[in-house]
């Protein structure tokens, strides 16, 4: 935030230097065209005196009146204070010129303070309109800049919110996956199985992937499938021979990517709701393919007919929300169950 404020301050200073310098030069050139064939010292002095009060008036009106009254919808107070402010600034501008500037190059009787304060027509035409013209242009540009800033900030906040939500979704996912995997290893350790050390080795590969690839925005699909192989081998250690029948086919686009842990979570669900709750042989099929633009991941597993799937739980709903954050509407996520077969299909662009 500190750096953002410093950058905004620098930008504001640069803008004001450019804007008011350009306005001063424009006023000088206009005076040259209206009153003479050369730019006299008097024209420059008069323009400089008006210029100073244009800067002060515009910044006061924008920073104080607009920020504290107009932006807060106090329109009556804003209008009253605006009229009073324009009158006071115009009077001060005229006093400055008559009593401080003109004596250096003119020897004429000075207007009295009473006349300066009461000659409203002269003040309006020669001073107030000058202040209003510069102020109007300045405030118009400031509103455009402010609108752009607010738009950029809104986009930035939305992006940060999406990233925070994604991190939250992944933090829900990882413990869920790790909890189930550690349970698997615990079961093996209770029986003093020789497979325990092998399962720990494979788990270390999975943990390495989660820790170092999980936070990434995307990974190669080939990397995700490699860790899926480790996971399936780890799961196979739990079951007796013949309990699992796994069929995996993949035709990969070498450059295709996917948000990490998406496919892995679906494989975990297939084991959890398939082999984990089905006492008979469980068949799991994984098919990965691609066309010219999209990557397609299909997974299906046999399950008991009374097994239900909660689409609003951590698993499937979590995946759908992550896909929406990454791809908005440019993805397909189909879930179906028919004849003891549970199927999930994801179709995503080949790259984010």
């Amino acid at each position: 935030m500190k750096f953002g404020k410093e950058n905004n301050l620098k930008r504001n200073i640069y803008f004001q230097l450019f804007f008011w310098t350009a306005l001063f030069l424009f006023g000088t050139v206009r005076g040259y065209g209206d009153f003479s064939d050369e730019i006299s010292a008097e024209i420059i002095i008069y323009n400089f005196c008006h210029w100073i009060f244009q800067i002060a008036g515009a910044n006061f009106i924008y920073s104080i009146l607009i920020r504290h009254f107009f932006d807060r919808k106090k329109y009556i107070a804003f209008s009253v204070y605006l009229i009073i402010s324009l009158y006071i600034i115009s009077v001060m501008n005229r006093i400055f010129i008559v009593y401080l500037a003109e004596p250096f190059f003119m020897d004429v009787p000075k207007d009295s303070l009473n006349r300066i304060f009461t000659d409203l027509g002269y003040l309006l035409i020669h001073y107030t309109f000058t202040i209003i013209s510069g102020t109007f242009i300045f405030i118009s540009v400031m509103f455009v800049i402010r609108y752009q800033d607010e738009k950029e900030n809104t986009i930035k906040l939305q992006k940060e919110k999406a990233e925070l939500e994604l991190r939250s979704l992944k933090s829900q996912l990882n413990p869920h996956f790790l909890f189930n995997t550690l349970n698997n290893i615990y079961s093996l350790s209770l029986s003093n199985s020789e497979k325990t050390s092998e399962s720990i080795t494979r788990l270390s590969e999975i943990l390495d992937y989660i820790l170092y690839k999980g936070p990434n925005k995307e990974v190669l699909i080939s990397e995700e499938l490699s860790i899926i192989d480790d996971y399936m081998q780890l799961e196979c250690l739990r079951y007796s021979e013949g309990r699992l029948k796994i069929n995996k086919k993949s035709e990969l686009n070498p450059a295709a990517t996917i948000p990490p842990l998406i496919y892995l979570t679906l494989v975990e669900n297939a084991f959890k709701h398939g082999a984990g709750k089905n006492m008979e042989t469980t068949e799991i099929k994984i098919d990965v393919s691609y066309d010219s633009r999209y990557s397609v991941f299909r997974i299906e597993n046999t399950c008991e007919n009374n097994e239900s799937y909660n689409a609003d739980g951590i698993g499937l709903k979590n995946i759908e929300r992550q896909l929406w954050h990454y791809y908005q509407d440019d993805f397909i996520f189909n879930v179906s169950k028919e004849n003891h077969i549970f199927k999930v299909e994801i179709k995503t662009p080949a790259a984010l």
Side-chain angles (χ1 to χ4, degrees), residues 4-22:
K5 290 181 179 179
E6 290 178 354
N7 290 335
N8 288 338
L9 179 61
K10 288 181 180 179
R11 186 184 63 178
N12 185 49
I13 292 174
Y14 292 147
F15 162 70
Q16 295 228 27
L17 285 174
F18 172 79
F19 176 83
W20 293 114
T21 300

Side-chain angles (χ1 to χ4, degrees), residues 304-316:
E304 293 184 351
N305 196 41
N306 59 357
E307 172 67 13
S308 62
Y309 293 84
N310 183 7
D312 295 324
I314 290 177
L316 298 176

Side-chain angles (χ1 to χ4, degrees), residues 65-133:
L65 300 186
I66 289 181
R67 287 293 192 179
H68 290 81
F69 296 99
F70 187 85
D71 287 349
R72 298 177 182 179
K73 299 182 180 181
K74 298 179 180 179
Y75 301 124
I76 296 177
F78 169 76
S79 301
V80 172
Y81 287 128
L82 177 63
I83 294 172
I84 295 173
S85 299
L86 287 172
Y87 172 74
I88 293 174
I89 294 170
S90 299
V91 169
M92 292 174 63
N93 191 2
R94 188 174 180 187
I95 291 174
F96 183 85
I97 290 177
V98 171
Y99 286 90
L100 295 178
E102 288 182 344
F104 285 100
F105 60 90
M106 294 180 65
D107 185 16
V108 295
K110 298 180 179 64
D111 292 337
S112 66
L113 289 176
N114 181 62
R115 182 175 180 181
I116 291 175
F117 275 94
T118 57
D119 194 353
L120 299 181
Y122 189 84
L123 278 176
L124 182 66
I125 295 173
H126 295 282
Y127 292 89
T128 306
F129 281 164
T130 301
I131 295 170
I132 290 175
S133 62

Side-chain angles (χ1 to χ4, degrees), residues 163 195 227 236 276 282:
E163 290 175 352
K195 299 176 181 179
I227 211 66
C236 287
T282 298

Side-chain angles (χ1 to χ4, degrees), residues 174-190 196 199-200 202-204 206-207 210 231 234-235 238 268:
N174 295 351
H176 181 236
F177 164 73
L178 290 175
F179 177 77
N180 292 330
T181 305
L182 288 172
N183 270 345
N184 298 347
I185 297 175
Y186 177 70
S187 299
L188 292 173
S189 67
L190 288 178
T196 304
S199 66
I200 293 174
R202 293 192 181 277
L203 178 60
S204 67
I206 296 173
L207 287 175
I210 291 174
Y231 176 79
L234 183 61
E235 285 286 349
R238 294 179 57 203
E268 183 216 359

Side-chain angles (χ1 to χ4, degrees), residues 28 108 126 169 259 263 290:
T28 302
V108 295
H126 295 282
L169 291 171
Y263 293 169
Y290 71 95

